[in-house]
Amino acid sequence: QVHVVESGGGLMQAGESLRLSCTASGTIFALYAMGWYRQAPGKEREFVAAITRGGTPTLIDAVKGRFTISGDFAQNTIYLQMDRLRPEDTAIYFCNADAQFAPTTGTAKFWGQGTQVTVSS
């Protein structure tokens, strides 16, 4: 099984910063990208950011200029640096890994358990 574990969530005040970490481990033939989704109360899960093992980042407009995604794929680890947090950033943040078990299998998304980020005004 592929194991994905996030950490770093917490209770913050607007304007403060947090850094989330995520590590993928287990049986992995190839790891192509890792990223972050979030789900706010009463809303659908949305994509936030992702980074390929080549270092190409993608972020949604709502977090550009405030969040930075980085990766250390030698350690199967990514980070999400969240600066100038806003109450609307409050959500459970889920890490995912786009990985392949073996050469004959396709690529699938593997998910972490989520880490809660709460931002008060």
Side-chain angles (χ1 to χ4, degrees), residues 8-14 16-18 85 90 116-121:
L11 177 61
M12 297 287 111
Q13 192 172 17
E16 295 183 334
S17 298
L18 272 178
L85 284 163
T90 295
Q116 177 71 50
V117 174
T118 302
V119 184
S120 64
S121 60

Side-chain angles (χ1 to χ4, degrees), residues 44-121:
E44 297 180 353
R45 185 177 298 187
E46 67 171 345
F47 170 79
V48 178
I51 186 167
T52 68
R53 69 179 303 112
T56 302
T58 302
L59 299 98
I60 60 172
D61 290 342
V63 305
K64 285 183 178 178
R66 298 189 299 118
F67 292 9
T68 303
I69 187 169
S70 61
D72 180 3
F73 280 89
Q75 302 295 323
N76 291 342
T77 298
I78 61 167
Y79 306 93
L80 186 66
Q81 178 66 42
M82 303 186 294
D83 296 324
R84 288 171 281 136
L85 284 163
R86 302 170 179 172
E88 52 262 42
D89 295 319
T90 295
I92 302 174
Y93 284 72
F94 297 92
C95 178
N96 86 277
D98 296 329
Q100 187 175 356
F101 273 125
T104 56
T105 65
T107 302
K109 291 186 181 295
F110 299 88
W111 296 90
Q113 79 290 341
T115 186
Q116 177 71 50
V117 174
T118 302
V119 184
S120 64
S121 60

